Amino acid sequence: MLPQMGCEAWVVGGWVRDLLLGRPSKDIDIVVEGSGIELAQKIAGELPGGQKLKVFKNFGTAMLRIDDWEIEFVGTRKESYRSNSRKPIVEDGTFREDISRRDFTINSMAISLGKKNFGSLEDLYGGLEDLQKKQIRTPLDPEITYSDDPLRMMRAIRFAAQLNFKIDAASFEAICKNNSRIKIVSIERTMDEFNKIMRSPHPAKGLKLLKKAGLLKEFFPELNAMQGVEVVSGKAHKDNFYHSLQVLENLSQRSDNLWLRWAALLHDVGKPRTKQFDEKAGWTFHGHEFVGAKMVPGIFKKLRLPQDEKMKYVQKLVLLHLRPIVLSESIVTDSAVRRLLFEAGDDIDDLMTLCEADITSANKQKVKRYLRNFELVRQKLQEIEEKDKIRNWQPPVTGLDIMETFNMGPGKEVGIIKTAIREAILDGIIPNEREAALQYMLQEGKKLGLTPVKDVN
Ligand code: CTP
């Protein structure tokens, strides 16, 4: 349809890159010499109904939605930047100017939609060669590209992690030089890229690059602080940053769950604050799981990550990450297993996956032994769960039952009795059943001087 309209237009950017990489994508960017909005309106007019056109006059763009395809139209443009903002001053420009303002050569290829060259690849900056060489390179001087729009430093590392590409040396040097300019980017945009790195097939690769480029310290000092090894009396502790990355990498081979990956990244975040050296015991990090879990809400808030149940999930896994190890090392009592099931609830399988990923020893025998121990813990968890149904535990006796039985209103006694019943079930003193719990309620009420006014049998 476009060739007949006689306009010069191109598909450009990510869709072309992904087409050449064989990665399916439904987001298409079309640039046109002239008005993107007018072209979009013309095309929408020619199509049978059913598609949706949205016009963004202020940006000079229009978006056409056809089924689950999103096609964005914009006129070719050139950009100039000021030093204190990554938002460019945009003016109309030629196709060449439009292409040269783009971030990476692999994102600067276009496919012509015009009459003359319909379907031909326009590759002004060697993007195809860089795709083959698996490298991230900027079309213009990298100093200018990254300094103009520092978000591109995050994007470069994100593409390296997503595509398993390397960043060209001159580019990496420019990123290192401009790292502090990431401050002019909103934390939301930075974290969008960070989470794309976290979701990528090799998140640890991206995180190592963020560290090496000096970007991590700018927006995530708590994670940055985990790097380093201290030696006292000839004893060194392991580097907690690189250990966490290995755990993250191990976990990423087993799970795509972004928040479980976050739990892997943060499981030891409390270590720098709890580190101590003892001549006899060597390095200790006592209570790092509690300190780490306490740090999670603050980190999530500062990084504008969700404050809802996703944060609580990460916090819970950080808090519990040592518990299965304890179960695997000692003779496991049913009560300890029940307590873990109670606290982890439905996240118990994710917790076990995290613990297995936390095995980073280079000693193959040790790894085998730890994995076997965790397998035993899993079996035990399953056995106890089948028997006692603790995973989604609901109190078999409610506060209302207690109030009605002893003819009283809400008050601290109700809480005391409820807790006593829960503890008795977890300790295996009574089975997790209503009948037994009611009898226990009567017994506990008596201890508090309460008299039942209702028959519970
Ligand atoms: N672009 C850029 N600089 C940026 C963001 C985007 O030069 N900071 C250009 C690139 O040419 C990019 C295109 O705009 O290909 C579209 O950007 P976007 O949709 O954000 O990214 P994609 O490259 O399509 O990749 P993805 O969908 O994976 O984010």
Side-chain angles (χ1 to χ4, degrees), residues 27 41 56 79 103 119 123 166 171 181 236 244 267 269 272 274 302 316 329 342 348 372-373 388 402 446 456:
D27 289 341
Q41 284 167 337
F56 305 95
E79 289 175 352
D103 51 3
D123 181 13
K166 63 178 184 297
S171 237
R181 279 184 66 71
S244 299
H267 75 288
V269 75
T274 53
K302 209 173 76 180
K316 186 205 262 185
E329 278 171 351
F342 175 72
I348 188 72
R372 206 172 43 235
N373 287 346
D388 296 338
I402 299 169
K446 208 170 167 189
V456 298

Side-chain angles (χ1 to χ4, degrees), residues 293-359:
K294 265 198 163 164
M295 288 169 73
V296 170
I299 292 174
F300 267 50
K301 194 164 178 202
K302 209 173 76 180
L303 299 178
R304 305 283 197 283
L305 294 170
Q307 293 290 300
D308 55 11
E309 70 286 350
K310 294 183 186 94
M311 183 274 284
K312 293 205 175 109
Y313 163 88
V314 173
Q315 190 177 31
K316 186 205 262 185
L317 293 180
V318 172
L319 179 68
L320 297 179
H321 81 270
L322 295 177
R323 295 277 291 279
I325 303 175
V326 178
L327 293 190
S328 76
E329 278 171 351
S330 47
I331 299 161
V332 190
T333 63
D334 286 5
S335 147
V337 177
R338 269 193 297 268
R339 280 187 184 279
L340 183 59
L341 279 167
F342 175 72
E343 284 172 57
D346 270 344
D347 302 319
I348 188 72
D349 292 327
D350 289 352
L351 179 65
M352 291 308 296
T353 307
L354 171 62
C355 289
E356 282 157 358
D358 199 4
I359 305 172

Side-chain angles (χ1 to χ4, degrees), residues 13-14 17 29 102-103 107 149 152 155 158-159 196:
R17 175 200 69 223
D29 291 319
R102 290 176 182 269
D103 51 3
N107 289 343
D149 178 0
R152 289 169 170 174
R155 281 174 61 89
R158 184 258 285 195
F159 282 118
K196 285 184 184 174

